[in-house]
Amino acid sequence: MRLVAAQARLVRLRFARPVRTARGDFTERETVLLELRDAEGVRGFGEAAPWPGFGTETVQQAHASLIAAEALLCGAAIEPGAWTPELDTHLRDAPAARAAVQGALCDLAARRAGCPLADLLAAGAGEAREAVLRRVPTSALLVAREPGAVRAEAVRIRESGHRAVKIKLGSPSLDDDVARARAAREGLGPAVRLRGDANGAWSRRDARVALEALAELGFDYVEQPLAADDFEGCAELHRVAPVRIAADESVASESGALRLLATGAVDVMVLKPATLGGPARALAIAARARQAGVEVVFSHTFESAVGARHVLQCAAAWGDPDAVHGLCTDGLFASDVAASVACPGGLAEIADAPGLGITP
């Protein structure tokens, strides 16, 4: 593909409701959209979406890298898997910006081929993946804070058809976490998977106490109970934990993912293409995880519709019909750049349209 134009622009989106994490509450999201255009006028879109705690460059750094990359992209004959040496060197230490470029190139290639992006990604993933999905199971996120409100929200989510739900943990008081988790389980009933995410808020001792207290509630797994760089502690916790352990921030980089796989420290890996350099790299890591017997879940990092649909297409290309991914962004923002990922009945559909299926 010969590119004739490249444009990176900052985007600021306001959350419809504050997003609560162990690192505080967030009311808005700033990312960078990248648009590439070829000589025939076909356009492809990617997004750089750094998120605190995932070890990528900042939004400002990603924007600067992409502005500088415009000169390397314009006029270049380039394919998604065959970058110029100059571009590869320029983005080597900028995974979020790299994800934007890879995503835009893949979207452009799929639009040129007239196929959904998932089909293009699957063709490059070899035999590690299964058949491409057209409807991808998705989890929901509980955002209510008080137990009564959590229970009511959980009931609504269960009735909507979702097969898995995630609740944020890591409150200053373990009693608060247990009360909210218990309310969630009561509202969900026994059939819906309950997942927790501590965002690295616990010490080794606190994590063991917390997981013992939460085990009776039938958690599917708990993400990131320890700090992202505590690989040794994660391995120790995994050996004794009564709940399955998932890694999120610890697998934000390829090196972290490979280190956890080598030590057998987790049961589940939550992979975010936005922090791993794009969907192709995320799928390659997923293949390594499958070989090690580790479950794979794909998730967004609160991106706009562009980034969220890249994750959706990646999960569809992976093709595991039993996995339930963190994909839904419908209602996340007061206003999005295009149609957000909706999940009626707990399923996100892949549109029968070229590329991402949207044009921001």
Side-chain angles (χ1 to χ4, degrees):
M1 303 183 296
R2 183 165 295 280
L3 305 177
V4 298
Q7 181 181 25
R9 60 186 175 93
L10 280 169
V11 172
R12 181 175 284 107
L13 303 173
R14 178 163 291 277
F15 288 115
R17 290 188 292 181
V19 171
R20 185 186 189 191
T21 75
R23 293 181 175 83
D25 292 355
F26 293 84
T27 59
E28 65 178 20
R29 183 72 164 108
E30 191 174 39
T31 72
V32 187
L33 294 186
L34 176 66
E35 176 183 337
L36 301 180
R37 180 163 52 87
D38 69 8
E40 287 74 42
V42 181
R43 296 183 294 166
F45 301 90
E47 183 170 4
W51 184 255
F54 282 87
T56 67
E57 71 274 35
T58 66
V59 173
Q60 291 71 29
Q61 290 168 335
H63 187 219
S65 293
L66 291 173
I67 291 293
E70 290 175 356
L72 300 175
L73 290 163
C74 290
I78 187 170
E79 299 295 331
W83 294 24
T84 65
E86 295 81 8
L87 183 63
D88 189 58
T89 298
H90 175 66
L91 297 176
R92 182 169 298 160
D93 299 319
R98 190 178 185 90
V101 173
Q102 187 191 79
L105 287 170
C106 288
D107 182 33
L108 178 57
R111 291 175 192 258
R112 286 168 56 92
C115 67
L117 176 55
D119 292 351
L120 182 85
L121 293 172
E127 298 179 357
R129 49 85 187 172
E130 300 181 41
V132 177
L133 301 177
R134 288 296 181 249
R135 305 177 79 195
V136 183
T138 64
S139 63
L141 177 65
L142 284 165
V143 298
R145 302 191 180 191
E146 299 302 322
V150 169
R151 186 181 298 105
E153 186 180 19
V155 169
R156 291 193 296 271
I157 289 173
R158 170 173 55 81
E159 293 175 345
S160 73
H162 285 278
R163 291 160 44 184
V165 171
K166 182 163 77 172
I167 186 170
K168 292 291 186 177
L169 303 172
S171 301
S173 166
L174 176 58
D175 289 342
D176 289 343
D177 277 343
V178 173
R180 294 175 62 252
R182 188 178 304 280
R185 174 53 72 199
E186 291 169 356
L188 295 173
V192 179
R193 304 181 204 179
L194 178 59
R195 299 168 171 177
D197 186 359
N199 289 125
W202 295 325
S203 67
R204 294 185 185 184
R205 177 186 176 281
D206 289 345
R208 294 185 66 165
V209 173
L211 294 180
E212 289 287 348
L214 295 168
E216 66 173 290
L217 299 176
F219 271 81
D220 182 20
Y221 58 72
V222 172
E223 290 179 33
Q224 209 60 53
L226 301 177
D229 59 355
D230 191 1
F231 295 99
E232 180 181 342
C234 188
E236 292 178 0
L237 183 64
H238 181 250
R239 287 192 287 270
V240 300
V243 178
R244 293 202 305 163
I245 302 299
D248 189 357
E249 287 92 334
S250 291
V251 294
S253 67
E254 183 172 355
S255 61
L258 297 181
R259 183 171 177 180
L260 283 180
L261 289 175
T263 57
V266 293
D267 303 286
V268 183
M269 282 188 169
V270 181
L271 301 181
K272 292 178 165 62
T275 70
L276 292 168
R281 288 308 308 152
L283 286 168
I285 294 170
R288 296 284 293 270
R290 175 170 282 169
Q291 292 171 358
V294 173
E295 183 180 333
V296 171
V297 171
F298 291 101
S299 182
H300 62 73
T301 57
F302 303 108
E303 298 108 298
S304 78
V306 171
R309 287 183 180 273
H310 271 291
V311 185
L312 169 60
Q313 299 278 343
C314 186
W318 182 237
D320 184 350
D322 296 320
V324 184
H325 306 280
L327 306 174
C328 188
T329 59
D330 189 34
L332 181 64
F333 299 109
S335 179
D336 208 334
V337 299
S340 302
V341 176
C343 306
L347 295 169
E349 293 192 7
I350 299 295
D352 188 20
L356 289 176
I358 59 169
T359 298

